[in-house]
Coordinates of all heavy atoms in Angstrom, one line a residue:
E70 N -10.0 -18.5 -21.6 CA -11.0 -17.7 -21.1 C -10.5 -17.0 -19.8 O -9.6 -17.4 -19.1 CB -12.3 -18.5 -20.7 CG -12.9 -19.2 -21.9 CD -14.2 -20.0 -21.5 OE1 -14.2 -20.3 -20.3 OE2 -15.0 -20.2 -22.3
R71 N -11.1 -15.8 -19.5 CA -10.8 -15.1 -18.3 C -11.4 -16.0 -17.1 O -12.5 -16.5 -17.2 CB -11.5 -13.8 -18.3 CG -11.1 -12.9 -17.1 CD -11.6 -11.5 -17.2 NE -11.0 -10.8 -18.3 CZ -11.2 -9.6 -18.7 NH1 -12.1 -8.8 -17.9 NH2 -10.6 -9.0 -19.7
E72 N -10.6 -16.2 -16.1 CA -11.0 -17.0 -15.0 C -10.9 -16.3 -13.7 O -10.0 -15.4 -13.5 CB -10.1 -18.3 -15.0 CG -8.7 -18.1 -14.7 CD -7.9 -19.4 -14.5 OE1 -8.6 -20.5 -14.4 OE2 -6.7 -19.4 -14.6
F73 N -11.7 -16.7 -12.8 CA -11.8 -16.1 -11.5 C -10.6 -16.6 -10.7 O -10.1 -17.7 -10.7 CB -13.1 -16.6 -10.8 CG -13.1 -16.3 -9.3 CD1 -13.4 -15.1 -8.8 CD2 -12.8 -17.3 -8.4 CE1 -13.4 -14.8 -7.5 CE2 -12.9 -17.1 -7.0 CZ -13.2 -15.8 -6.6
V74 N -10.0 -15.7 -9.9 CA -8.9 -16.0 -9.0 C -9.2 -15.8 -7.5 O -9.0 -16.8 -6.8 CB -7.7 -15.1 -9.4 CG1 -6.5 -15.4 -8.4 CG2 -7.2 -15.3 -10.8
A75 N -9.7 -14.7 -7.2 CA -10.0 -14.4 -5.7 C -11.0 -13.3 -5.6 O -11.0 -12.4 -6.4 CB -8.7 -14.2 -5.0
R76 N -11.7 -13.2 -4.4 CA -12.6 -12.2 -4.1 C -12.6 -11.9 -2.6 O -12.5 -12.8 -1.8 CB -14.0 -12.5 -4.6 CG -15.1 -11.5 -4.3 CD -15.8 -11.7 -2.9 NE -16.7 -12.8 -3.0 CZ -16.9 -13.6 -2.0 NH1 -16.2 -13.5 -0.8 NH2 -17.8 -14.6 -2.1
I77 N -12.7 -10.6 -2.3 CA -12.9 -10.2 -0.9 C -14.1 -9.3 -0.8 O -14.3 -8.4 -1.5 CB -11.6 -9.6 -0.3 CG1 -11.8 -9.2 1.2 CG2 -11.3 -8.3 -1.1 CD1 -10.5 -8.9 1.8
K78 N -15.0 -9.7 0.1 CA -16.3 -8.9 0.3 C -16.0 -7.6 1.0 O -15.1 -7.4 1.8 CB -17.3 -9.7 1.1 CG -17.7 -11.1 0.5 CD -18.6 -10.8 -0.7 CE -19.9 -10.3 -0.3 NZ -20.8 -10.1 -1.5
W79 N -16.9 -6.7 0.7 CA -16.9 -5.3 1.3 C -17.4 -5.4 2.8 O -17.0 -4.6 3.6 CB -17.6 -4.3 0.5 CG -19.1 -4.4 0.6 CD1 -19.9 -5.1 -0.3 CD2 -20.0 -3.9 1.5 NE1 -21.2 -5.0 0.1 CE2 -21.3 -4.2 1.2 CE3 -19.8 -3.1 2.7 CZ2 -22.4 -3.9 1.9 CZ3 -20.9 -2.7 3.4 CH2 -22.2 -3.1 3.0
S80 N -18.4 -6.2 3.0 CA -19.2 -6.2 4.2 C -18.5 -6.8 5.4 O -18.4 -6.3 6.5 CB -20.5 -6.9 4.0 OG -20.4 -8.2 3.5
D81 N -17.9 -8.0 5.2 CA -17.3 -8.7 6.3 C -15.8 -9.2 5.9 O -15.2 -9.9 6.7 CB -18.1 -9.9 6.7 CG -18.4 -10.9 5.6 OD1 -17.9 -10.7 4.5 OD2 -19.2 -11.8 5.8
S82 N -15.4 -8.8 4.8 CA -14.0 -9.2 4.3 C -13.8 -10.7 4.2 O -12.6 -11.1 4.2 CB -12.9 -8.6 5.2 OG -12.9 -7.2 5.2
T83 N -14.9 -11.4 4.0 CA -14.7 -12.8 3.7 C -14.1 -13.0 2.3 O -14.3 -12.2 1.4 CB -16.1 -13.6 3.8 OG1 -17.0 -13.0 2.8 CG2 -16.6 -13.6 5.2
T84 N -13.3 -14.1 2.2 CA -12.6 -14.3 1.0 C -13.0 -15.6 0.3 O -13.5 -16.5 0.9 CB -11.1 -14.3 1.2 OG1 -10.8 -15.4 2.2 CG2 -10.6 -13.0 1.8
R85 N -12.7 -15.6 -1.0 CA -13.0 -16.8 -1.8 C -11.9 -16.9 -2.8 O -11.5 -16.0 -3.4 CB -14.4 -16.7 -2.5 CG -14.7 -17.9 -3.4 CD -16.1 -17.7 -4.0 NE -16.4 -18.7 -4.9 CZ -17.6 -18.9 -5.5 NH1 -18.6 -18.1 -5.2 NH2 -17.8 -19.9 -6.4
Y86 N -11.5 -18.2 -3.1 CA -10.4 -18.4 -4.0 C -10.8 -19.5 -5.0 O -11.5 -20.5 -4.7 CB -9.2 -18.8 -3.3 CG -8.6 -17.8 -2.3 CD1 -9.0 -17.8 -1.0 CD2 -7.8 -16.8 -2.8 CE1 -8.5 -16.9 -0.1 CE2 -7.3 -15.9 -1.9 CZ -7.7 -15.9 -0.6 OH -7.2 -14.9 0.3
A87 N -10.2 -19.4 -6.2 CA -10.3 -20.5 -7.1 C -9.4 -21.7 -6.6 O -8.4 -21.5 -5.9 CB -9.7 -20.1 -8.5
D88 N -9.9 -22.9 -6.8 CA -9.2 -24.1 -6.3 C -7.7 -24.1 -6.7 O -6.9 -24.5 -5.9 CB -9.9 -25.3 -6.8 CG -11.3 -25.5 -6.2 OD1 -11.6 -24.9 -5.1 OD2 -12.0 -26.4 -6.7
V89 N -7.4 -23.7 -7.9 CA -6.1 -23.8 -8.4 C -5.1 -22.8 -7.7 O -3.9 -23.0 -7.8 CB -6.0 -23.6 -9.9 CG1 -6.7 -24.7 -10.6 CG2 -6.6 -22.2 -10.3
V90 N -5.6 -21.8 -7.0 CA -4.7 -20.9 -6.2 C -4.9 -21.0 -4.7 O -4.1 -20.4 -4.0 CB -4.9 -19.4 -6.7 CG1 -4.8 -19.3 -8.2 CG2 -6.3 -18.9 -6.2
Q91 N -5.8 -21.8 -4.3 CA -6.1 -21.9 -2.9 C -4.8 -22.4 -2.1 O -4.1 -23.3 -2.5 CB -7.2 -23.0 -2.6 CG -7.6 -23.2 -1.2 CD -8.4 -22.0 -0.7 OE1 -8.1 -21.4 0.3 NE2 -9.5 -21.7 -1.3
G92 N -4.5 -21.6 -1.1 CA -3.3 -21.9 -0.3 C -2.1 -21.3 -0.8 O -1.1 -21.3 -0.1
R93 N -2.1 -20.7 -2.0 CA -0.9 -20.0 -2.5 C -1.1 -18.5 -2.7 O -0.2 -17.8 -2.5 CB -0.6 -20.6 -3.9 CG -0.2 -22.1 -3.9 CD 0.3 -22.5 -5.3 NE -0.7 -22.4 -6.3 CZ -0.5 -21.6 -7.4 NH1 0.6 -20.9 -7.6 NH2 -1.5 -21.6 -8.3
F94 N -2.4 -18.1 -2.9 CA -2.7 -16.7 -3.1 C -3.5 -16.2 -2.0 O -4.3 -16.9 -1.4 CB -3.5 -16.5 -4.4 CG -2.7 -16.7 -5.7 CD1 -1.5 -17.3 -5.7 CD2 -3.3 -16.3 -6.9 CE1 -0.8 -17.5 -6.9 CE2 -2.7 -16.5 -8.1 CZ -1.4 -17.1 -8.1
T95 N -3.3 -14.9 -1.6 CA -4.0 -14.2 -0.6 C -4.5 -12.9 -1.1 O -3.7 -12.1 -1.5 CB -3.2 -14.1 0.7 OG1 -2.7 -15.3 1.1 CG2 -4.0 -13.4 1.8
I96 N -5.8 -12.7 -1.0 CA -6.4 -11.4 -1.4 C -6.6 -10.6 -0.1 O -7.0 -11.1 0.9 CB -7.7 -11.5 -2.2 CG1 -8.2 -10.2 -2.7 CG2 -8.8 -12.2 -1.4 CD1 -9.3 -10.3 -3.7
S97 N -6.4 -9.3 -0.2 CA -6.7 -8.4 1.0 C -7.1 -7.0 0.5 O -7.0 -6.8 -0.7 CB -5.4 -8.3 1.9 OG -4.3 -7.8 1.1
R98 N -7.5 -6.2 1.4 CA -7.8 -4.8 1.0 C -7.5 -3.9 2.1 O -7.5 -4.2 3.3 CB -9.3 -4.7 0.7 CG -10.3 -5.0 1.8 CD -11.7 -5.2 1.3 NE -12.2 -4.0 0.7 CZ -13.2 -3.9 -0.1 NH1 -13.9 -5.0 -0.4 NH2 -13.6 -2.8 -0.6
D99 N -7.2 -2.6 1.8 CA -7.0 -1.6 2.7 C -7.9 -0.4 2.3 O -7.7 0.3 1.4 CB -5.5 -1.1 2.6 CG -5.2 -0.1 3.7 OD1 -6.1 0.6 4.2 OD2 -4.0 0.1 4.0
N100 N -9.1 -0.3 3.0 CA -10.1 0.6 2.7 C -9.6 2.1 2.8 O -10.1 3.0 2.2 CB -11.3 0.4 3.5 CG -12.1 -0.8 3.1 OD1 -11.9 -1.4 2.0 ND2 -13.0 -1.3 4.0
A101 N -8.7 2.3 3.8 CA -8.1 3.6 4.0 C -7.3 4.1 2.8 O -7.2 5.3 2.5 CB -7.3 3.7 5.2
K102 N -6.8 3.2 2.0 CA -6.0 3.5 0.9 C -6.7 3.2 -0.5 O -6.1 3.4 -1.5 CB -4.7 2.7 0.9 CG -3.7 3.0 2.0 CD -2.5 2.3 2.0 CE -1.5 2.7 3.1 NZ -0.2 1.9 3.0
N103 N -7.9 2.7 -0.4 CA -8.7 2.4 -1.6 C -7.9 1.4 -2.4 O -7.8 1.6 -3.7 CB -9.1 3.6 -2.4 CG -10.2 4.4 -1.7 OD1 -10.7 4.0 -0.6 ND2 -10.6 5.5 -2.3
T104 N -7.3 0.4 -1.8 CA -6.4 -0.5 -2.5 C -6.7 -1.9 -2.2 O -6.9 -2.3 -1.0 CB -5.0 -0.2 -2.2 OG1 -4.7 1.2 -2.6 CG2 -4.0 -1.1 -3.0
S105 N -6.7 -2.8 -3.2 CA -6.8 -4.2 -3.0 C -5.5 -4.8 -3.4 O -4.8 -4.3 -4.3 CB -7.9 -4.8 -3.9 OG -8.0 -6.2 -3.9

Side-chain angles (χ1 to χ4, degrees):
E70 298 179 338
R71 184 173 298 182
E72 66 175 347
F73 168 78
V74 176
R76 180 268 286 144
I77 183 166
K78 298 291 292 182
W79 71 267
S80 55
D81 57 5
S82 294
T83 56
T84 58
R85 177 177 176 175
Y86 299 93
D88 290 342
V89 292
V90 306
Q91 183 75 238
R93 298 190 296 120
F94 290 11
T95 302
I96 187 172
S97 62
R98 65 190 298 161
D99 186 337
N100 289 344
K102 296 182 177 180
N103 287 359
T104 302
S105 175

